[in-house]
Amino acid sequence: MASRRVLGLLLLCIIRLLPMVGKEQGEAIGVSMQQRAELPNKDMTGVLEKLEERTLEEMEPILQETDPILEESAFSQGALLFAPLEHWQLWVVAGGLALLVALGLGLWRRTRAADSGDEWDRSNSIMEEEDEEEREDDFHAEERLGRENIRRSAQSLACRRWEVETVVGDLLSVLQERLSQSFFLVPQAAVGVGRAFEGWSPCGPDAVFRLLVPLKPSRGHAFQVELGTAGDTPAKHRVRVDLACTCSKEARGEDAMLCFVHQPFEALERDQDSGLLCQLCTGRYLDAQKIARWFQELVSSAWEEMGLGRRYRLRVLPSRRSCKLELTGASGRSVVVELLFGVQRGESDLFLSSQAPEAIFTPGVMWTETSAVAEAKFFSHVARQALPDSVHLQCLQLLTSSLGGTVLSSYTFKTALMHLLNLCSGTSVPFTLQLQDVMDYLRSCLEEKRLHHFIFGNECLPEAIVLPPATQPSEPVNLFQCLAEDPEAHAKALREFQELQGRLMGLLLFGA
């Protein structure tokens, strides 16, 4: 564009200068040419007339006479040709034109080079944009592949979960019928708890299907829950077993069977043995370890009776406070099922559970308060309201599968996600954005050293979750209280969180 402008200016200058020079020089050249042309014509006419009259021998003197005239004519023609050069205006114009031409060529070359550079830059920019688009396409392809693997894992997990629920349901039905008329505990329908039943557990050899089996007292007995002081580690919650009167008002005479309350202790020892108090309690309190051994024996005896041995090979795994079973099908595939025992707090979704931390020794009479049933109900509530393309479970599965070697637990990420889901239920968020939301929320919690328990002290729970009246108004439980009390542990948690964030980025970008 600039070169075109320069050439236009040069052309305009030439057009303006040519008339100035041409007018003066043209007049002088015209007069000179007219004068010079007349003289040779007159002289040459005389010479030709003499040639006609004279002979060839006489031509030599004539030619000698014509030489000065011819020389003068030739000189006149040369003077005519070089006459413009005697005028300084022509030299100025020629020099100016040469200078303008040189400048125009220089500008044109630089403009051409600049245009070439721009074209090169544009070409590089286009190539970089194409590379970036290709990288983004690869990233989205890896993300879709990862999500597809998680989705297939979730489908396989759902099939195995249904299989476990069916087998455990059949087993408990047999045990309920056998124990309904005894003086032992009566198991109720199991409730699936934990990651496998909430839908975010990886379907692999390490997957454990946990179910909580509520226990009801047998006829003539009643449970009284005694809660310990909040914050005790291990928890000091106990379940006292009281005897209840079952005497009928119509009972008359000495032959009437008296209940455990009104029957003399000697007769009770002799005639009716309360298996619950004598075999499953320590003192007057339920013993989780005794209950676990008793239940394991019941399962082994009922397994063959039910005919389940034809479909699954049963192996009872060692466990002090639960009933852990390994079921192997005809295909050779095994699944691990852990049955936990629980005592319900009134009609709520809170239980005292036999599960206790593995690293801490917990006496058999001590039980742990758990909100696992309430949390499982919350995930069911979210699943009913979530859009078909919801990815919160895949997000949680990816987060917890990357936690190896960190002080952050899977329950920490689960709690953070539940808080976010409770705030934004029914909304569709892309996978990477939801993943980033959880990480941002957890980072702020780490920096503040505060992450509230989702159930205890939360006044904004869905109505489907039922809690005891004294639970919701209580002070929120800080899961990061240990980090607030230990600066070194807090610094370590922050470092490991940064490492985890980099690990997640590598999983998303490279599928590693």
Side-chain angles (χ1 to χ4, degrees), residues 440-452:
D440 291 343
Y441 180 82
L442 195 55
R443 181 191 294 105
S444 64
C445 292
L446 281 171
E447 292 173 352
E448 297 175 5
K449 306 175 187 178
R450 181 174 297 276
L451 175 62
H452 289 158

Side-chain angles (χ1 to χ4, degrees), residues 1 5 10 28 63 125 158 169 172 188 220 265 331 342 374-375 423:
M1 189 67 180
R5 292 178 180 177
L10 289 175
L63 291 176
S125 177
L172 292 179
Q188 305 300 303
F265 182 74
S331 63
E375 293 167 4
L423 293 174

Side-chain angles (χ1 to χ4, degrees), residues 75-128:
F75 175 79
S76 299
Q77 291 177 2
L80 179 64
L81 290 175
F82 290 95
L85 300 180
E86 297 175 358
H87 300 278
W88 62 270
Q89 291 95 337
L90 183 59
W91 290 104
V92 173
V93 172
L97 288 176
L99 180 61
L100 289 175
V101 170
L103 290 175
L105 288 175
L107 287 175
W108 178 75
R109 289 174 180 173
R110 285 196 295 270
T111 305
R112 183 76 176 269
D115 292 341
S116 300
D118 292 341
E119 291 293 335
W120 177 261
D121 293 340
R122 283 194 294 270
S123 177
N124 288 339
S125 177
I126 293 173
M127 293 179 63
E128 290 177 359

Side-chain angles (χ1 to χ4, degrees), residues 94-333:
L97 288 176
L99 180 61
L100 289 175
V101 170
L103 290 175
L105 288 175
L107 287 175
W108 178 75
R109 289 174 180 173
R110 285 196 295 270
T111 305
R112 183 76 176 269
D115 292 341
S116 300
D118 292 341
E119 291 293 335
W120 177 261
D121 293 340
R122 283 194 294 270
S123 177
N124 288 339
S125 177
I126 293 173
M127 293 179 63
E128 290 177 359
E129 291 177 359
E130 292 177 352
D131 292 342
E132 182 65 24
E133 291 177 357
E134 185 176 354
R135 286 194 295 269
E136 290 181 0
D137 292 341
D138 293 341
F139 166 74
H140 291 303
E142 292 288 348
E143 180 185 348
R144 286 192 296 271
L145 180 60
R147 289 179 56 186
E148 184 62 28
N149 292 335
I150 293 175
R151 189 178 295 109
R152 286 197 297 267
S153 176
Q155 293 174 352
S156 177
L157 184 69
C159 294
R160 300 177 71 180
R161 183 170 60 238
W162 176 85
E163 184 180 5
V164 168
E165 289 176 329
T166 302
V167 172
V168 172
D170 294 342
L171 176 62
L172 292 179
S173 297
V174 173
L175 296 181
Q176 287 172 0
E177 184 178 358
R178 179 185 294 186
L179 298 171
S180 60
Q181 300 301 320
S182 71
F183 295 104
F184 288 91
L185 297 172
V186 181
Q188 305 300 303
V191 181
V193 296
R195 60 169 66 186
F197 286 92
E198 291 166 353
W200 53 277
S201 174
C203 187
D206 297 333
V208 178
F209 294 85
R210 290 187 173 89
L211 300 96
L212 188 137
V213 180
L215 300 176
K216 294 291 184 180
S218 59
R219 179 176 177 270
H221 300 83
F223 289 157
Q224 183 66 37
V225 175
E226 296 181 357
L227 297 178
T229 304
D232 286 343
T233 305
K236 296 182 179 179
H237 308 310
R238 298 186 297 180
V239 181
R240 190 177 72 246
V241 178
D242 295 332
L243 296 175
C245 178
T246 58
C247 295
S248 175
K249 293 181 180 179
E250 291 79 14
R252 295 290 186 271
E254 295 181 357
D255 296 334
M257 180 177 293
L258 300 176
C259 68
F260 292 137
V261 176
H262 296 99
Q263 191 172 15
F265 182 74
E266 295 79 6
L268 179 63
E269 283 188 333
R270 182 180 64 254
D271 300 328
Q272 292 179 330
D273 181 18
S274 173
L276 176 56
L277 282 171
C278 298
Q279 299 186 34
L280 304 181
C281 292
T282 297
R284 305 283 292 188
Y285 297 95
L286 281 181
D287 193 315
Q289 296 180 12
K290 292 181 179 180
I291 294 173
R293 289 193 295 268
W294 166 74
F295 200 85
Q296 291 168 8
E297 294 174 359
L298 284 177
V299 170
S300 298
S301 61
W303 192 259
E304 296 299 331
E305 179 184 331
M306 295 170 54
L308 290 175
R310 293 189 296 269
R311 289 190 292 165
Y312 303 98
R313 184 173 70 253
L314 172 69
R315 187 164 73 99
V316 180
L317 303 177
S319 178
R320 293 190 303 112
R321 301 176 65 92
S322 64
C323 181
K324 190 176 292 187
L325 310 173
E326 182 185 61
L327 308 180
T328 305
S331 63
R333 187 183 64 179

Side-chain angles (χ1 to χ4, degrees), residues 471-498:
T471 303
Q472 282 183 296
S474 63
E475 187 71 18
V477 178
N478 183 15
L479 299 180
F480 283 168
Q481 185 62 36
C482 57
L483 301 182
E485 298 173 353
D486 189 347
E488 292 184 1
H490 178 242
K492 181 180 179 182
L494 287 174
R495 288 195 304 271
E496 292 182 347
F497 179 83
Q498 295 295 334

Side-chain angles (χ1 to χ4, degrees), residues 329-341:
S331 63
R333 187 183 64 179
S334 298
V335 60
V336 176
V337 180
E338 185 175 17
L339 301 178
L340 305 170
F341 312 112

